[in-house]
Amino acid sequence: MTASPSGPPPTLLVLDADPLPRLGRLTGRARIEHADASTLAERLPSADVLLVWDFASHAVRSAWPGEGPRPRWVHTASAGVDHLMCPELAESDTVVTNARGVFDQPIAEYVAALVLAMAKDLPLTWDLQRERTWRHRESQRVAGTRACVVGSGPIGRAIVATLKALGITAALVGRTPRTGIHGPEELDRLMARADWVIAAAPLTEQTHGMFDARRFGVMQPSARFVNVGRGQLVVEDALAEALAKRWIAGAALDVFEHEPLAPDSPLWQVPNLIVSPHMSGDTVGWRDELGAQFVELYERWEAGRALTNVVDKKRGYVPGR
């Protein structure tokens, strides 16, 4: 699966989002065309490569089963691929790659910030400041606490490393047990001992709804839960009930089953829940990093070299090393 050594340049179709990616390095080496959700289906047959720049769109999933040829390579500017995967794409010869590597450390830092904010009770401090109320309180030390990080990909591993730098003992849970990684059969035991449970897993049939009422019931009353993986990992009503009944001490959600979170969603008012708008990996310059990563991948493809970040389309993620 490579570009043709002769003839017209390959057609690169971009599923647009604003701002557009910077692809100037590909000038003359690719015929760049653009599509949105309404035009994607009609333009797919003429594309050699599809760049899913609008990684929040589900347009690929609906457009892919149509008539005509399909791109030989699809790249999504995101870590997750559930928004574009459909049976026809999964069963095709098309190679799918993702943005693995761009978000690892930013998300790990965001998780660390949430852990510290909850341990130090910063949300209440800010509320009291706005009220001009002086209320002395004690806060929790994070050094010496335990975390259970679910998802053993690069993001999960970066989270573990960052939490360890804070003195937190972190156990990593993955799809299959191997050196340094616990298997899913150990999840309940590790959650029961954890002060922090961090969800950073991809969305698959096995992980959909894995954090439900039973799992929140396993956690300690003093424990807190953080989701920076996919919204559908969590049964949101169960989490809201666990917080309302104080089965757990707190939680933070950066991803949700439906995004953006509706203004009338009850999650905005759940006690001891921090809500953020899917921003944990988005640091200054992140779009430029995504664009540069795609250009480097395109140059590999153009030169006939093996692509990196190739997704196992059956599993829904890039297999770990």
Side-chain angles (χ1 to χ4, degrees):
M1 189 210 70
T2 61
S4 174
S6 60
T11 297
L12 167 60
L13 181 64
V14 181
L15 180 58
D16 286 344
D18 188 45
L20 294 175
R22 296 181 180 180
L23 302 175
R25 276 168 54 186
L26 301 184
T27 300
R29 297 157 60 187
R31 184 170 58 251
I32 301 174
E33 299 182 353
H34 298 271
D36 57 22
S38 65
T39 60
L40 180 63
E42 66 183 77
R43 296 189 178 179
L44 271 179
S46 63
D48 297 293
V49 179
L50 172 64
L51 169 58
V52 185
W53 190 246
D54 185 359
F55 51 80
S57 172
H58 290 81
V60 175
R61 187 189 296 171
S62 59
W64 194 271
E67 297 291 333
R70 289 295 180 259
R72 294 173 280 164
W73 168 34
V74 173
H75 177 78
T76 178
S78 61
V81 299
D82 50 281
H83 60 292
L84 57 87
M85 203 57 65
C86 61
E88 291 82 1
L89 175 54
E91 295 165 7
S92 72
D93 294 331
T94 296
V95 173
V96 176
T97 58
N98 72 355
R100 178 182 173 116
V102 172
F103 302 108
D104 308 353
Q105 190 56 35
I107 291 178
E109 293 173 4
Y110 198 87
V111 169
L114 290 171
V115 166
L116 289 168
M118 288 188 280
K120 305 307 177 183
D121 202 18
L122 292 184
L124 180 57
T125 295
W126 291 323
D127 289 343
L128 293 173
Q129 179 180 343
R130 284 191 291 269
E131 298 170 4
R132 303 190 180 195
T133 299
W134 183 277
R135 185 188 303 170
H136 179 270
R137 303 172 327 280
E138 296 178 343
S139 65
Q140 178 186 0
R141 291 185 64 174
V142 299
T145 60
R146 299 183 184 203
C148 173
V149 179
V150 184
S152 60
I155 292 173
R157 295 197 298 271
I159 291 170
V160 166
T162 303
L163 294 182
K164 285 183 175 179
L166 296 174
I168 299 173
T169 301
L172 187 59
V173 178
R175 182 175 181 268
T176 55
R178 52 195 186 275
T179 303
I181 299 175
H182 300 269
E185 67 280 356
E186 295 190 71
L187 178 57
D188 287 357
R189 177 182 67 83
L190 293 169
M191 286 182 63
R193 302 172 59 195
D195 301 289
W196 313 97
V197 175
I198 317 296
L203 180 61
T204 66
E205 291 182 5
Q206 291 74 32
T207 63
H208 191 285
M210 67 183 300
F211 295 102
D212 54 13
R214 187 190 68 78
R215 283 256 160 78
F216 292 124
V218 165
M219 294 173 62
Q220 301 180 79
S222 59
R224 295 171 172 101
F225 175 80
V226 176
N227 186 16
V228 290
R230 305 297 288 172
Q232 294 86 347
L233 302 179
V234 177
V235 180
E236 293 173 347
D237 290 345
L239 175 61
E241 182 181 18
L243 290 166
K245 294 183 176 179
R246 299 185 180 180
W247 295 348
I248 61 175
L253 298 179
D254 185 58
V255 288
F256 301 85
E257 183 173 5
H258 301 290
E259 297 183 6
L261 192 64
D264 60 352
S265 170
L267 291 175
W268 293 107
Q269 301 297 322
V270 172
N272 297 314
L273 174 63
I274 297 174
V275 169
S276 60
H278 203 150
M279 59 181 283
S280 61
D282 302 347
T283 52
V284 175
W286 65 284
R287 290 184 179 87
D288 289 341
E289 288 187 52
L290 289 172
Q293 181 190 55
F294 173 74
V295 170
E296 290 175 5
L297 283 171
Y298 186 92
E299 289 173 342
R300 293 180 68 94
W301 179 78
E302 183 182 48
R305 299 166 59 199
L307 288 169
T308 58
N309 288 11
V310 175
V311 173
D312 183 323
K313 294 186 290 183
K314 301 298 183 183
R315 296 183 182 181
Y317 55 87
V318 179
R321 292 180 293 274

